[in-house]
Every structure is written in C-alpha cells, then in structure tokens.
Amino acid sequence: MAYIKVDKAIVIVNVKNVLLIDSALCPVIDDLRPESKIVGNNAQLIYVQGVSHVTDKQFEQADVVVSYFGSVLNQECINKLKQCKGIVAATTGFNHIDIKAATLHSIPVCNISDYGHEDIADHTMMLMLALVRKLPKIVKHTRETRQCDWRAAQGAMRLKGKNLGILGFGKIGVAVAQRAFSFGLNIFYYDPYVHECADSHVHKIDTLEEFLKKIDILSIHCPLTEKTNKLINKDALSLLKKGAVIINTARGQIIDEKSLITLFDQYDFSLGLDVLENESCIPTEFLESDRVLVTPHSAFYTTDALEKMRHLAIVSAVNFLIGKKERNNIIVPFSEKFR
C-alpha cells in the first residue's frame, strides 16, 4: 500500500474505511474537516456517535478503528472486526479497549500518550494548590457569610518542604514533578517500571508501602490495568498520614472508592478528584464536603490538547493503514506498565 504527501495531506491508495467511534454522551468531534484533510479523498471516514450505533457491517468493513473517550470496545465489538489493521485509542488511557481480545485477533492497539500531559499536570497543580490553601472551605464561607475573615482558611498548609508522592512516573508524572519543584516540594515517586530518575531532585521509592508512609500529598498518574485496579485500597489508604491530600487525574477505579469514603473523615483527607469509579453518580459525601474538589474528567482538556489529540489519532490511524512502524505508542499485549 502506497501513500504520498500533497500539501501536508496524506493521500492513501486503496483504503476502504476508517471507523471513528465517538462518545454518545460527550462527543469529541464536531466536524470531520481536520480528519479529512489528513487522510485525503481516497479514504472513507465513517463517523458514528456511540458504540451501540455501529452496525455489524461497519465493524466488519473497518480497516482501522479510532475509539474516542467514552467508546468502549469490548470483546463482542472486536470479534466483529474482520479486516482491521489496527485500533487507535484516542486517549492516554486504554482501559476502554479489550487488549486481550485485540491480541487474539492479531490487531495492534495504540494510544495517544502525548497530547495533553502538560494540561493534566497543570490541572493537578491547580487541585493541589486549591486543597492545601483550603480554597473550597474559604470560598464557601465567604459566600455564605458575605464577610472577609482570614480565619476561614484555618488548617491551610505551606507547600514548601512537604513530601509529594507521584504514583506512576510517565510523561504526566514527570510534568507534575517539574512543576512541583518550583514550589519547593520534596518529590518522590513509585513506579516499578521506571529506573532511577536522572534528576537529583526526584527520588524513587521501591515499595508502595514505604512510598505511602512517607508522603503528605499523593498524586495518581498510572494507567488502569489489572494490577492497578483498586491499588489504593483500604490497606493502602491506612498507610497515609492523617490530613493527607489525595489527587487523582488518572482513572477512578485505581482508588477503592468505598474504602476512601469510609476513611475520609477518620483520616481527615482532602481530595482532588477529576475521575471517579462511576462518573455518572458522584457520591454525596464528596459533593457535600468542603475538603473535596470534584472536576468533570476535564484535566486533559484545553483547546490545544483536543486539537492535538484529534490530529495524532488520525495520523496514527493512517500509519496503521500504510503499515508504517513508527506509530504513536503501540501497547504491548498484557502489559502492566505504569506509562
């Protein structure tokens, strides 16, 4: 299969269908002009909003599938792919793709890991700063009393000298560490798949137990896999210091939410949660507390990040179609990497 570049557009010869599956509830794509410019006129873009609306024929005739956030490709869907050369998870996480099923059908899967790591790191620092300075509490107090009273910020702590623990030291974790250093934080990370960091200001801890005992602030940046599912469970939470700050901008299922709710008041945790186990049902305990900030899985989002994500996703799809090896990030089957 050949391809040529014409005015920055890639023209593909003899390509049939690129199936784009968008979220039914929160669609990413408003029009296909950016994607059409990349693939050229010889590729047919099939856009469907919601996996449940994809027909069997569309699955069967797909040469490549791009799955956006909120579009779950389970085993049943993947079994229908008869001529698929690759699946693009247009997200950093890839837990919405059945990797084992894709492997059984010899369909490679790639994710888009570098479109929004800076934005997620910014969001992480925003949550961290808001929680340590008691922003939810003081804003609520000021609104309710209509008075300016600095004592509403009681319990606020200084960041400098505190221990930040980064769980998962991939691109996002590194970006958080870079920002955190400027605030004078002592930076530690736990990631069994990352060797010693070359930056002398960042310290690796070899065991999860030692890591959790040492830190004042936990920031979660590992992917959701079989090993990380409910990794932060009751036992893990019990190792944290009282008054610890917990920030999760990765995946909600990494934290055992029931255990977190159980220990929330006992340990006086402060929580910055951009992700939840069930994002269609936010626990009342989180909504009613002035020690919790819940954001709507928006850490990844900026206008720039969304544009780059769409660009990288369709370029990765083209690379699958032309057999190009330098794809964005091929996921190793059954990999448990914290990347």
Side-chain angles (χ1 to χ4, degrees):
M1 186 174 294
Y3 76 103
I4 57 174
K5 291 184 178 180
V6 180
D7 295 329
K8 298 183 180 179
I10 300 174
V11 179
I12 308 166
V13 180
N14 297 325
V15 171
K16 293 182 180 178
N17 297 309
V18 179
L19 177 60
L20 309 173
I21 308 178
D22 210 343
S23 168
L25 297 176
C26 302
V28 170
I29 293 178
D30 48 3
D31 71 78
L32 292 172
R33 281 177 291 180
E35 286 75 15
S36 297
K37 184 177 180 181
I38 296 296
V39 301
N41 295 326
N42 293 314
Q44 184 176 8
L45 297 176
I46 309 298
Y47 174 81
V48 182
Q49 191 174 321
V51 174
S52 62
H53 294 142
V54 181
T55 67
D56 289 350
K57 185 176 181 180
Q58 286 171 333
F59 274 123
E60 291 170 3
Q61 294 184 348
D63 289 284
V64 65
V65 177
V66 181
S67 175
Y68 296 92
F69 175 75
S71 302
V72 177
L73 286 183
N74 57 23
Q75 183 178 9
E76 181 181 358
C77 295
I78 291 173
N79 286 345
K80 297 175 183 178
L81 298 173
K82 304 302 181 184
Q83 60 188 47
C84 186
K85 298 175 178 64
I87 297 171
V88 180
T91 51
T92 300
F94 46 87
N95 54 291
H96 60 296
I97 310 291
D98 191 328
I99 302 298
K100 291 183 179 180
T103 302
L104 289 174
H105 289 275
S106 300
I107 302 173
V109 180
C110 78
N111 68 334
I112 308 300
S113 64
D114 53 0
Y115 72 92
H117 60 282
E118 302 284 359
D119 309 276
I120 295 172
D122 290 345
H123 196 93
T124 297
M125 295 306 299
M126 176 191 73
L127 292 173
M128 188 186 307
L129 287 166
L131 291 169
V132 299
R133 299 307 301 262
K134 303 296 181 182
L135 186 63
K137 179 182 176 183
I138 61 178
V139 169
K140 179 182 178 182
H141 181 273
T142 305
R143 283 178 175 170
E144 290 179 350
T145 66
R146 295 179 180 273
Q147 295 180 356
C148 294
D149 186 349
W150 64 266
R151 292 171 295 182
Q154 185 176 5
M157 71 178 185
R158 178 180 293 169
L159 274 182
K160 185 176 181 179
K162 296 298 186 295
N163 293 342
L164 168 64
I166 299 174
L167 179 63
F169 207 61
K171 291 180 179 179
I172 299 171
V174 170
V176 170
Q178 291 169 343
R179 287 156 174 75
F181 176 70
S182 66
F183 286 94
L185 285 155
N186 302 316
I187 305 166
F188 302 88
Y189 73 91
Y190 172 74
D191 190 326
Y193 299 95
V194 174
H195 297 300
E196 202 70 41
C197 181
D199 189 340
S200 61
H201 300 295
V202 181
H203 311 283
K204 180 178 182 180
I205 297 182
D206 292 325
T207 68
L208 182 60
E209 180 178 0
E210 181 187 357
F211 170 78
L212 293 171
K213 285 181 177 179
K214 191 173 187 66
I215 60 179
D216 301 295
I217 303 167
L218 170 64
S219 193
I220 299 172
H221 302 290
C222 57
L224 176 62
T225 66
E226 290 181 2
K227 286 187 177 180
T228 63
N229 185 37
K230 289 184 169 52
L231 177 66
I232 305 302
N233 53 27
K234 185 176 181 180
D235 291 340
L237 291 166
S238 299
L239 295 172
L240 291 169
K241 300 174 183 177
K242 288 193 175 182
V245 174
I246 301 172
I247 298 169
N248 189 3
T249 57
R251 289 293 182 267
Q253 294 86 345
I254 295 169
I255 299 178
D256 182 350
E257 210 163 86
K258 289 183 179 179
S259 296
L260 181 59
I261 292 171
T262 299
L263 297 178
F264 175 61
D265 285 326
Q266 179 184 346
Y267 279 76
D268 196 32
F269 290 139
S270 293
L271 310 176
L273 305 174
D274 187 56
V275 289
L276 298 163
E277 279 195 50
N278 182 359
E279 292 174 2
S280 63
C281 183
I282 304 173
T284 303
E285 292 87 348
F286 296 161
L287 291 174
E288 294 180 349
S289 175
D290 58 14
R291 288 185 284 116
V292 181
L293 279 173
V294 177
T295 53
H297 204 140
S298 59
F300 76 95
Y301 175 76
T302 60
T303 301
D304 300 308
L306 192 63
E307 288 177 356
K308 187 173 182 181
M309 180 266 283
R310 288 180 62 176
H311 176 81
L312 291 176
I314 198 66
V315 167
S316 294
V318 168
N319 287 341
F320 275 129
L321 292 171
I322 64 177
K324 189 176 180 181
K325 294 182 179 180
E326 293 79 16
R327 304 183 187 102
N328 189 59
N329 187 22
I330 298 296
I331 299 165
V332 180
F334 312 117
S335 172
E336 300 295 340
K337 286 186 177 182
F338 282 21
R339 304 306 293 274

